[in-house]
Structure formats: C-alpha cells, structure tokens
Amino acid sequence: MMREEQCVFGLAAQPDGSPIAIIGVTAAAADYMSDGKTHTFDLTSLGFPVKIMLFGAPTHRAALDMIGQGSEEAGLPIQDLRDADSSIKPPRS
C-alpha cells in the first residue's frame, strides 16, 4: 500500500479525560477500501483497549451486508443501532 492510500490517526484526551481516536481518510485511502479492503488500527499497543477496522463498500446496504456476513461467519450477534445517536457531544458548561 502506498503512503497516500493509508489513513492517518491521532489520539487525544477530551475535556472529560476520555480518549478520542481521530481518523483521517484521504481520497486515495477511501478508493483503496472501495472494494472491501480494510485499514486496521490496534490501539491496544498504545494502552487503549480498542481495535478499529475501516472498510469500504459502494453503498450503505452493501456495508451492512458485509458486517452481517462477517458476524454470521464468526457466530457473533450484532445489534442494529443505526438510529441511536453516537455522535460526540459538546462539553456541558
């Protein structure tokens, strides 16, 4: 993979002390993932109990199907939380 096809990431502490992973996806990185290839980040090596996998799909439905197929093959149930708001909230004053 060429450097331009790689995602970039950073880790930062939020005001409440919780860590935030910030991921930048270049156009070339998105194109690299467009056929299902992945970018993975193992933050456990940095002391954070999180691993992240990004993948590309041509549509929302195709992405859901890929997740469903993977969870089915692994024998792991998934929970549909598409309607849940998981955005980062601004700090309270």
Side-chain angles (χ1 to χ4, degrees):
M1 169 186 331
M2 297 182 320
R3 168 90 50 197
E4 191 60 28
E5 293 174 328
Q6 297 174 349
C7 293
V8 298
F9 80 95
L11 298 172
Q14 296 187 93
D16 66 1
S18 63
I20 181 171
I22 304 165
I23 300 172
V25 182
T26 65
D31 187 52
Y32 173 85
M33 293 186 294
S34 66
D35 63 357
K37 293 184 187 97
T38 64
H39 289 290
T40 61
F41 301 86
D42 182 356
L43 304 183
T44 62
S45 65
L46 301 173
F48 296 95
V50 172
K51 295 180 182 182
I52 300 170
M53 177 183 291
L54 302 175
F55 68 93
T59 64
H60 187 81
R61 175 82 266 166
L64 287 171
D65 289 346
M66 289 174 74
I67 289 174
Q69 179 183 354
S71 69
E72 187 175 302
E73 289 174 6
L76 300 171
I78 58 173
Q79 184 177 5
D80 186 344
L81 297 173
R82 285 179 285 169
D83 293 328
D85 181 1
S86 58
S87 61
I88 298 171
K89 310 294 185 282
R92 294 182 185 191
S93 304

Coordinates of all heavy atoms in Angstrom, one line a residue:
M1 N 0.8 -1.2 0.0 CA 0.0 0.0 0.0 C 0.9 1.2 0.0 O 1.9 1.3 0.7 CB -0.9 0.0 1.2 CG -1.6 1.2 1.5 SD -2.6 1.2 3.1 CE -3.0 -0.4 3.4
M2 N 0.6 2.2 -0.9 CA 1.3 3.4 -0.9 C 0.9 4.3 0.3 O -0.2 4.2 0.8 CB 1.1 4.1 -2.2 CG 1.5 3.3 -3.4 SD 1.3 4.2 -5.0 CE -0.3 5.0 -4.9
R3 N 1.8 5.2 0.7 CA 1.6 6.1 1.8 C 0.3 6.9 1.6 O -0.5 7.0 2.6 CB 2.8 7.1 1.9 CG 2.6 8.2 2.9 CD 2.9 8.0 4.3 NE 4.3 7.5 4.5 CZ 4.7 6.9 5.6 NH1 3.9 6.9 6.6 NH2 5.9 6.4 5.7
E4 N 0.0 7.4 0.5 CA -1.2 8.2 0.2 C -2.5 7.4 0.4 O -3.5 7.9 0.7 CB -1.2 8.8 -1.1 CG -2.3 9.9 -1.4 CD -2.2 11.1 -0.4 OE1 -1.1 11.4 0.1 OE2 -3.3 11.7 -0.2
E5 N -2.4 6.0 0.3 CA -3.6 5.2 0.5 C -3.8 4.8 1.9 O -4.8 4.2 2.3 CB -3.4 3.9 -0.3 CG -3.4 4.0 -1.8 CD -3.0 2.8 -2.6 OE1 -2.2 2.0 -2.0 OE2 -3.5 2.6 -3.7
Q6 N -2.9 5.2 2.8 CA -3.1 5.0 4.2 C -3.9 6.0 4.9 O -3.8 7.2 4.6 CB -1.7 4.9 4.9 CG -0.8 3.8 4.4 CD 0.6 3.8 5.0 OE1 1.0 4.8 5.6 NE2 1.3 2.8 4.7
C7 N -4.7 5.6 5.9 CA -5.4 6.5 6.7 C -4.4 7.1 7.7 O -3.4 6.5 8.0 CB -6.5 5.8 7.5 SG -7.9 5.2 6.5
V8 N -4.7 8.2 8.3 CA -3.9 8.8 9.4 C -4.8 8.8 10.6 O -6.0 8.9 10.6 CB -3.4 10.2 9.0 CG1 -2.5 10.1 7.8 CG2 -4.5 11.2 8.8
F9 N -4.1 8.7 11.8 CA -4.9 8.8 13.0 C -4.1 9.5 14.1 O -2.9 9.6 14.1 CB -5.4 7.4 13.5 CG -4.4 6.6 14.2 CD1 -4.3 6.6 15.6 CD2 -3.5 5.8 13.5 CE1 -3.4 5.8 16.2 CE2 -2.5 5.1 14.1 CZ -2.5 5.1 15.5
G10 N -4.8 10.0 15.0 CA -4.3 10.6 16.2 C -5.1 10.2 17.4 O -6.3 9.8 17.3
L11 N -4.5 10.4 18.6 CA -5.3 10.1 19.8 C -5.2 11.4 20.7 O -4.1 12.0 20.7 CB -4.6 9.0 20.6 CG -4.7 7.6 19.9 CD1 -3.8 6.6 20.7 CD2 -6.1 7.1 19.8
A12 N -6.3 11.7 21.3 CA -6.3 12.9 22.2 C -7.2 12.7 23.3 O -8.1 11.9 23.3 CB -6.7 14.1 21.4
A13 N -6.9 13.4 24.4 CA -7.8 13.4 25.6 C -8.9 14.5 25.4 O -8.6 15.6 25.0 CB -7.0 13.6 26.8
Q14 N -10.1 14.1 25.7 CA -11.2 15.1 25.7 C -11.2 15.8 27.1 O -10.6 15.3 28.0 CB -12.5 14.4 25.4 CG -12.5 13.8 24.0 CD -13.9 13.3 23.7 OE1 -14.7 14.0 23.1 NE2 -14.2 12.1 24.1
P15 N -11.9 16.9 27.2 CA -12.0 17.6 28.5 C -12.4 16.7 29.6 O -12.0 16.9 30.8 CB -13.0 18.7 28.2 CG -12.9 19.0 26.8 CD -12.6 17.6 26.1
D16 N -13.3 15.7 29.4 CA -13.7 14.8 30.4 C -12.7 13.7 30.7 O -12.9 12.8 31.6 CB -15.1 14.2 30.1 CG -15.0 13.2 28.9 OD1 -14.0 13.0 28.3 OD2 -16.1 12.7 28.6
G17 N -11.6 13.7 30.0 CA -10.5 12.7 30.2 C -10.6 11.5 29.4 O -9.7 10.7 29.4
S18 N -11.7 11.3 28.7 CA -11.8 10.1 27.9 C -11.0 10.3 26.6 O -11.0 11.4 26.0 CB -13.3 9.8 27.6 OG -13.9 10.9 26.8
P19 N -10.4 9.2 26.1 CA -9.6 9.4 24.9 C -10.5 9.4 23.6 O -11.6 8.9 23.6 CB -8.8 8.1 24.8 CG -9.6 7.1 25.6 CD -10.3 7.9 26.7
I20 N -10.0 10.1 22.6 CA -10.8 10.1 21.3 C -9.8 9.7 20.2 O -8.6 10.2 20.2 CB -11.4 11.5 21.1 CG1 -12.1 11.5 19.7 CG2 -10.3 12.6 21.1 CD1 -12.9 12.8 19.5
A21 N -10.2 8.8 19.4 CA -9.4 8.5 18.2 C -9.9 9.3 17.0 O -11.1 9.4 16.8 CB -9.5 7.0 17.9
I22 N -9.0 10.0 16.4 CA -9.3 10.9 15.3 C -8.7 10.2 14.0 O -7.5 9.9 14.0 CB -8.7 12.3 15.5 CG1 -9.2 12.8 16.8 CG2 -9.0 13.2 14.3 CD1 -8.4 14.0 17.3
I23 N -9.5 9.9 13.0 CA -9.1 9.2 11.9 C -9.3 10.0 10.6 O -10.4 10.5 10.4 CB -9.8 7.8 11.7 CG1 -9.5 7.0 13.0 CG2 -9.4 7.1 10.5 CD1 -10.3 5.7 13.1
G24 N -8.3 10.2 9.8 CA -8.4 10.9 8.6 C -8.3 9.9 7.4 O -7.4 9.1 7.4
V25 N -9.2 10.0 6.5 CA -9.3 9.1 5.4 C -9.1 10.0 4.1 O -10.0 10.8 3.8 CB -10.6 8.4 5.3 CG1 -10.7 7.4 4.1 CG2 -10.9 7.7 6.6
T26 N -8.0 9.8 3.5 CA -7.7 10.5 2.2 C -8.6 9.9 1.1 O -9.1 8.8 1.2 CB -6.2 10.4 1.8 OG1 -6.0 9.0 1.5 CG2 -5.3 10.9 2.9
A27 N -8.7 10.7 0.0 CA -9.5 10.1 -1.1 C -8.8 8.8 -1.6 O -9.5 7.9 -2.0 CB -9.5 11.2 -2.2
A28 N -7.5 8.8 -1.6 CA -6.8 7.6 -2.1 C -7.1 6.4 -1.1 O -7.2 5.3 -1.5 CB -5.3 7.8 -2.2
A29 N -7.1 6.7 0.2 CA -7.4 5.6 1.2 C -8.8 5.1 1.0 O -9.1 3.9 1.1 CB -7.2 6.1 2.6
A30 N -9.8 6.0 0.8 CA -11.2 5.6 0.5 C -11.3 4.8 -0.7 O -12.0 3.7 -0.8 CB -12.1 6.8 0.4
D31 N -10.5 5.2 -1.8 CA -10.5 4.4 -3.0 C -9.9 3.0 -2.8 O -10.4 2.0 -3.3 CB -9.8 5.2 -4.1 CG -9.9 4.5 -5.4 OD1 -11.0 4.2 -5.9 OD2 -8.8 4.2 -6.1
Y32 N -8.9 2.9 -2.0 CA -8.2 1.7 -1.6 C -9.2 0.7 -1.0 O -9.3 -0.5 -1.3 CB -7.0 1.9 -0.7 CG -6.4 0.7 -0.2 CD1 -5.4 0.0 -0.9 CD2 -6.8 0.2 1.1 CE1 -4.8 -1.2 -0.4 CE2 -6.2 -1.0 1.6 CZ -5.2 -1.6 0.9 OH -4.6 -2.8 1.4
M33 N -10.1 1.3 -0.1 CA -11.1 0.5 0.6 C -12.3 0.2 -0.2 O -13.2 -0.6 0.2 CB -11.5 1.2 1.9 CG -10.4 1.3 2.9 SD -11.0 1.9 4.5 CE -11.4 3.6 4.1
S34 N -12.5 0.8 -1.4 CA -13.8 0.7 -2.1 C -14.2 -0.7 -2.4 O -15.4 -0.9 -2.6 CB -13.7 1.6 -3.3 OG -12.8 1.1 -4.2
D35 N -13.3 -1.6 -2.5 CA -13.7 -3.0 -2.9 C -13.6 -3.9 -1.7 O -13.5 -5.1 -1.9 CB -12.9 -3.5 -4.1 CG -11.4 -3.6 -3.8 OD1 -11.0 -3.2 -2.6 OD2 -10.6 -4.1 -4.6
G36 N -13.7 -3.4 -0.5 CA -13.7 -4.2 0.7 C -12.4 -4.4 1.4 O -12.4 -5.0 2.5
K37 N -11.3 -3.9 0.9 CA -10.0 -3.9 1.6 C -10.2 -3.1 2.9 O -11.1 -2.3 3.0 CB -8.9 -3.3 0.8 CG -8.5 -4.1 -0.4 CD -7.3 -3.5 -1.1 CE -7.0 -4.1 -2.4 NZ -7.6 -3.4 -3.6
T38 N -9.4 -3.4 3.9 CA -9.5 -2.8 5.2 C -8.3 -1.9 5.6 O -7.2 -2.2 5.1 CB -9.8 -3.8 6.3 OG1 -8.6 -4.6 6.4 CG2 -11.0 -4.6 6.0
H39 N -8.5 -1.0 6.5 CA -7.5 -0.4 7.3 C -7.8 -0.7 8.7 O -8.9 -0.7 9.1 CB -7.6 1.2 7.1 CG -7.2 1.7 5.8 ND1 -5.9 1.7 5.3 CD2 -7.9 2.2 4.8 CE1 -5.8 2.2 4.1 NE2 -7.1 2.5 3.8
T40 N -6.8 -1.1 9.4 CA -7.0 -1.5 10.8 C -6.0 -0.7 11.7 O -4.9 -0.4 11.3 CB -6.7 -3.0 11.0 OG1 -5.4 -3.4 10.7 CG2 -7.7 -3.9 10.2
F41 N -6.5 -0.5 12.9 CA -5.8 0.2 13.9 C -5.9 -0.6 15.2 O -7.0 -0.8 15.7 CB -6.3 1.6 14.2 CG -6.4 2.5 12.9 CD1 -7.4 2.4 12.1 CD2 -5.3 3.4 12.7 CE1 -7.5 3.2 10.9 CE2 -5.4 4.1 11.5 CZ -6.4 4.1 10.6
D42 N -4.7 -1.0 15.8 CA -4.7 -1.8 17.0 C -4.2 -0.8 18.1 O -3.0 -0.6 18.3 CB -3.8 -3.0 16.9 CG -3.8 -3.8 18.2 OD1 -4.4 -3.4 19.2 OD2 -3.2 -4.9 18.2
L43 N -5.1 -0.1 18.8 CA -4.7 0.8 19.8 C -4.3 0.2 21.1 O -3.8 0.9 22.0 CB -5.8 1.9 20.0 CG -6.3 2.6 18.7 CD1 -7.3 3.6 19.0 CD2 -5.1 3.2 18.0
T44 N -4.5 -1.1 21.2 CA -4.1 -1.8 22.4 C -2.6 -1.7 22.6 O -2.1 -1.7 23.8 CB -4.5 -3.3 22.4 OG1 -3.9 -4.0 21.4 CG2 -6.0 -3.4 22.3
S45 N -1.8 -1.6 21.6 CA -0.4 -1.5 21.7 C 0.0 -0.2 22.3 O 1.2 0.0 22.7 CB 0.3 -1.7 20.3 OG -0.1 -0.6 19.4
L46 N -0.9 0.8 22.3 CA -0.7 2.1 22.9 C -1.3 2.3 24.2 O -1.4 3.3 24.8 CB -1.2 3.2 21.9 CG -0.6 3.2 20.5 CD1 -1.3 4.2 19.7 CD2 0.9 3.5 20.6
G47 N -1.9 1.2 24.7 CA -2.6 1.2 26.1 C -4.0 1.5 26.1 O -4.6 1.7 27.1
F48 N -4.7 1.5 24.9 CA -6.1 1.8 24.8 C -6.8 0.5 24.4 O -6.4 -0.2 23.4 CB -6.4 2.8 23.7 CG -5.9 4.2 24.1 CD1 -4.7 4.6 23.6 CD2 -6.6 5.0 24.9 CE1 -4.2 5.8 23.9 CE2 -6.1 6.3 25.3 CZ -4.9 6.7 24.7
P49 N -7.8 0.1 25.1 CA -8.5 -1.2 24.8 C -9.4 -1.2 23.6 O -10.6 -1.6 23.7 CB -9.2 -1.5 26.1 CG -9.6 -0.2 26.6 CD -8.5 0.7 26.3
V50 N -8.9 -0.7 22.5 CA -9.7 -0.6 21.3 C -8.9 -1.0 20.0 O -7.8 -0.7 19.9 CB -10.1 0.9 21.1 CG1 -10.8 1.1 19.8 CG2 -11.0 1.3 22.3
K51 N -9.6 -1.7 19.2 CA -9.1 -2.0 17.9 C -10.2 -1.5 16.9 O -11.4 -1.6 17.1 CB -8.9 -3.5 17.7 CG -7.9 -4.1 18.6 CD -7.7 -5.6 18.3 CE -6.7 -6.1 19.3 NZ -6.4 -7.6 19.1
I52 N -9.7 -0.9 15.8 CA -10.6 -0.3 14.8 C -10.4 -0.9 13.5 O -9.2 -1.0 13.1 CB -10.4 1.3 14.8 CG1 -10.7 1.9 16.1 CG2 -11.3 1.9 13.7 CD1 -10.3 3.3 16.3
M53 N -11.4 -1.2 12.7 CA -11.3 -1.7 11.4 C -12.2 -0.8 10.5 O -13.4 -0.7 10.8 CB -11.7 -3.2 11.2 CG -11.7 -3.7 9.8 SD -12.2 -5.4 9.6 CE -10.9 -6.2 10.4
L54 N -11.6 -0.2 9.5 CA -12.4 0.5 8.5 C -12.4 -0.3 7.2 O -11.4 -0.9 6.8 CB -11.7 1.9 8.2 CG -11.5 2.8 9.4 CD1 -10.8 4.0 8.9 CD2 -12.8 3.2 10.0
F55 N -13.5 -0.3 6.5 CA -13.6 -0.9 5.2 C -14.5 -0.1 4.3 O -15.3 0.7 4.7 CB -14.1 -2.4 5.3 CG -15.6 -2.5 5.7 CD1 -16.5 -2.5 4.7 CD2 -15.9 -2.5 7.0 CE1 -17.9 -2.6 5.1 CE2 -17.3 -2.6 7.4 CZ -18.2 -2.6 6.4
G56 N -14.3 -0.3 3.0 CA -15.1 0.4 2.0 C -16.2 -0.5 1.4 O -16.1 -1.7 1.4
A57 N -17.3 0.2 1.0 CA -18.4 -0.5 0.3 C -19.0 0.5 -0.6 O -19.0 1.7 -0.3 CB -19.4 -1.1 1.3
P58 N -19.6 0.1 -1.7 CA -20.2 1.1 -2.6 C -21.5 1.7 -2.1 O -21.8 2.8 -2.5 CB -20.5 0.3 -3.9 CG -20.5 -1.2 -3.4 CD -19.6 -1.3 -2.2
T59 N -22.2 1.1 -1.2 CA -23.4 1.6 -0.7 C -23.6 1.3 0.8 O -22.9 0.4 1.3 CB -24.7 1.0 -1.4 OG1 -24.7 -0.4 -1.1 CG2 -24.6 1.3 -2.9
H60 N -24.5 2.0 1.4 CA -24.9 1.7 2.8 C -25.3 0.3 3.0 O -24.9 -0.4 3.9 CB -26.0 2.7 3.3 CG -26.3 2.7 4.7 ND1 -25.6 3.3 5.7 CD2 -27.3 2.0 5.4 CE1 -26.1 3.1 6.8 NE2 -27.1 2.3 6.7
R61 N -26.2 -0.2 2.1 CA -26.7 -1.6 2.2 C -25.6 -2.6 2.0 O -25.5 -3.6 2.8 CB -27.8 -1.8 1.1 CG -28.3 -3.2 1.0 CD -29.4 -3.5 1.9 NE -28.9 -4.1 3.1 CZ -29.5 -4.2 4.3 NH1 -30.7 -3.7 4.4 NH2 -29.0 -4.7 5.3
A62 N -24.7 -2.3 1.1 CA -23.5 -3.2 0.9 C -22.7 -3.3 2.2 O -22.2 -4.4 2.5 CB -22.7 -2.8 -0.3
A63 N -22.5 -2.2 2.8 CA -21.7 -2.1 4.0 C -22.4 -2.9 5.1 O -21.7 -3.7 5.9 CB -21.4 -0.7 4.5
L64 N -23.7 -2.8 5.3 CA -24.4 -3.5 6.3 C -24.3 -5.0 6.0 O -24.2 -5.9 6.9 CB -25.9 -3.1 6.3 CG -26.1 -1.7 7.0 CD1 -27.6 -1.3 6.7 CD2 -25.8 -1.8 8.4
D65 N -24.4 -5.4 4.7 CA -24.4 -6.8 4.3 C -23.0 -7.4 4.7 O -22.9 -8.5 5.1 CB -24.7 -7.0 2.8 CG -26.2 -6.7 2.5 OD1 -27.0 -6.7 3.4 OD2 -26.4 -6.6 1.3
M66 N -21.9 -6.6 4.5 CA -20.6 -7.1 4.8 C -20.5 -7.3 6.3 O -19.9 -8.3 6.7 CB -19.5 -6.1 4.3 CG -19.4 -6.1 2.8 SD -18.3 -4.8 2.1 CE -16.7 -5.6 2.6
I67 N -21.0 -6.4 7.1 CA -20.9 -6.6 8.5 C -21.8 -7.8 9.0 O -21.3 -8.6 9.8 CB -21.4 -5.3 9.3 CG1 -20.3 -4.2 9.1 CG2 -21.7 -5.6 10.7 CD1 -20.8 -2.9 9.7
G68 N -22.9 -7.9 8.4 CA -23.8 -9.1 8.7 C -23.2 -10.4 8.3 O -23.2 -11.4 9.1
Q69 N -22.5 -10.4 7.2 CA -21.9 -11.7 6.7 C -20.7 -12.0 7.7 O -20.6 -13.2 8.1 CB -21.4 -11.5 5.3 CG -20.6 -12.8 4.8 CD -20.1 -12.5 3.4 OE1 -20.3 -11.5 2.8 NE2 -19.3 -13.5 2.9
G70 N -19.9 -11.0 8.1 CA -18.8 -11.3 9.0 C -19.3 -11.7 10.3 O -18.7 -12.7 10.9
S71 N -20.3 -11.1 10.9 CA -20.8 -11.5 12.2 C -21.4 -12.9 12.1 O -21.2 -13.7 13.1 CB -21.8 -10.5 12.7 OG -23.0 -10.6 12.0
E72 N -22.1 -13.2 11.0 CA -22.7 -14.6 10.9 C -21.6 -15.6 10.8 O -21.7 -16.7 11.5 CB -23.5 -14.6 9.6 CG -24.3 -15.9 9.4 CD -25.2 -15.8 8.2 OE1 -26.1 -14.9 8.2 OE2 -25.1 -16.7 7.3
E73 N -20.5 -15.4 10.0 CA -19.4 -16.3 9.9 C -18.7 -16.5 11.2 O -18.3 -17.6 11.5 CB -18.4 -15.9 8.8 CG -19.0 -16.0 7.4 CD -18.1 -15.4 6.4 OE1 -16.9 -15.0 6.7 OE2 -18.5 -15.4 5.2
A74 N -18.6 -15.5 12.0 CA -18.0 -15.5 13.3 C -18.9 -16.1 14.4 O -18.5 -16.4 15.5 CB -17.5 -14.2 13.8
G75 N -20.2 -16.2 14.1 CA -21.2 -16.7 15.1 C -21.4 -15.7 16.2 O -21.8 -16.0 17.3
L76 N -21.3 -14.4 15.8 CA -21.5 -13.3 16.8 C -22.7 -12.5 16.4 O -22.9 -12.1 15.3 CB -20.3 -12.4 16.9 CG -18.9 -13.0 17.2 CD1 -17.8 -12.1 17.0 CD2 -19.0 -13.5 18.7
P77 N -23.6 -12.3 17.4 CA -24.8 -11.5 17.1 C -24.4 -10.0 16.9 O -23.4 -9.6 17.5 CB -25.7 -11.7 18.3 CG -24.8 -12.0 19.4 CD -23.6 -12.7 18.8
I78 N -25.2 -9.3 16.1 CA -25.0 -7.8 16.0 C -26.3 -7.2 16.4 O -27.4 -7.7 16.3 CB -24.6 -7.4 14.6 CG1 -25.6 -7.8 13.6 CG2 -23.2 -7.9 14.3 CD1 -25.3 -7.3 12.2
Q79 N -26.2 -5.9 16.9 CA -27.3 -5.2 17.3 C -27.4 -3.9 16.4 O -26.4 -3.2 16.2 CB -27.2 -4.7 18.7 CG -28.4 -4.0 19.3 CD -28.2 -3.7 20.8 OE1 -27.2 -3.9 21.4 NE2 -29.2 -3.1 21.3
D80 N -28.5 -3.7 15.8 CA -28.7 -2.6 14.9 C -28.9 -1.3 15.7 O -30.0 -1.1 16.3 CB -29.9 -2.8 13.9 CG -30.0 -1.8 12.8 OD1 -29.4 -0.7 13.0 OD2 -30.7 -2.0 11.9
L81 N -27.9 -0.4 15.7 CA -28.0 0.8 16.4 C -28.0 2.0 15.5 O -27.6 3.1 15.9 CB -26.9 0.9 17.5 CG -26.9 -0.1 18.6 CD1 -25.6 -0.1 19.4 CD2 -28.1 0.0 19.4
R82 N -28.4 1.8 14.2 CA -28.3 2.9 13.3 C -29.1 4.1 13.7 O -28.8 5.3 13.3 CB -28.7 2.5 11.9 CG -27.7 1.6 11.2 CD -28.2 1.2 9.9 NE -29.2 0.1 10.1 CZ -29.9 -0.4 9.1 NH1 -29.9 0.1 7.9 NH2 -30.8 -1.4 9.4
D83 N -30.2 4.0 14.4 CA -31.0 5.1 14.8 C -30.6 5.7 16.2 O -31.1 6.7 16.6 CB -32.5 4.7 14.9 CG -33.0 4.4 13.5 OD1 -32.5 5.0 12.5 OD2 -33.9 3.5 13.4
A84 N -29.5 5.1 16.8 CA -29.0 5.7 18.0 C -28.0 6.8 17.7 O -27.3 6.7 16.8 CB -28.3 4.6 18.9
D85 N -28.0 7.9 18.5 CA -27.1 9.0 18.3 C -25.8 8.7 19.1 O -25.8 8.7 20.3 CB -27.7 10.3 18.8 CG -26.8 11.5 18.6 OD1 -25.7 11.3 18.1 OD2 -27.2 12.6 19.0
S86 N -24.8 8.4 18.3 CA -23.5 8.1 19.0 C -22.5 9.1 18.7 O -21.3 8.9 18.8 CB -23.0 6.7 18.5 OG -22.8 6.6 17.1
S87 N -22.9 10.3 18.3 CA -22.0 11.4 18.0 C -21.4 11.9 19.3 O -21.9 11.8 20.4 CB -22.7 12.5 17.2 OG -23.8 13.0 18.0
I88 N -20.3 12.6 19.1 CA -19.6 13.2 20.3 C -20.3 14.5 20.7 O -20.5 15.3 19.8 CB -18.1 13.5 19.9 CG1 -17.4 12.2 19.6 CG2 -17.4 14.2 21.1 CD1 -16.0 12.3 19.1
K89 N -20.7 14.5 21.9 CA -21.5 15.7 22.4 C -20.5 16.8 22.9 O -19.5 16.5 23.4 CB -22.4 15.3 23.5 CG -23.2 14.0 23.3 CD -24.3 14.3 22.2 CE -25.2 13.1 22.0 NZ -24.7 12.0 21.3
P90 N -20.9 18.0 22.7 CA -20.1 19.1 23.2 C -20.0 19.1 24.7 O -21.0 18.6 25.3 CB -20.7 20.4 22.7 CG -22.1 20.0 22.3 CD -22.1 18.5 22.0
P91 N -18.9 19.5 25.3 CA -18.9 19.5 26.8 C -20.0 20.4 27.4 O -20.3 21.4 26.8 CB -17.5 20.1 27.1 CG -16.9 20.5 25.8 CD -17.8 20.1 24.7
R92 N -20.5 20.0 28.5 CA -21.5 20.8 29.2 C -20.8 22.0 29.9 O -19.8 21.8 30.5 CB -22.3 20.0 30.2 CG -23.1 18.9 29.5 CD -23.9 18.2 30.6 NE -24.6 17.1 29.9 CZ -25.5 16.3 30.5 NH1 -25.8 16.6 31.8 NH2 -26.1 15.4 29.9
S93 N -21.5 23.1 29.9 CA -20.9 24.3 30.6 C -21.2 24.3 32.1 O -22.1 23.8 32.6 CB -21.5 25.6 30.0 OG -21.4 25.6 28.7

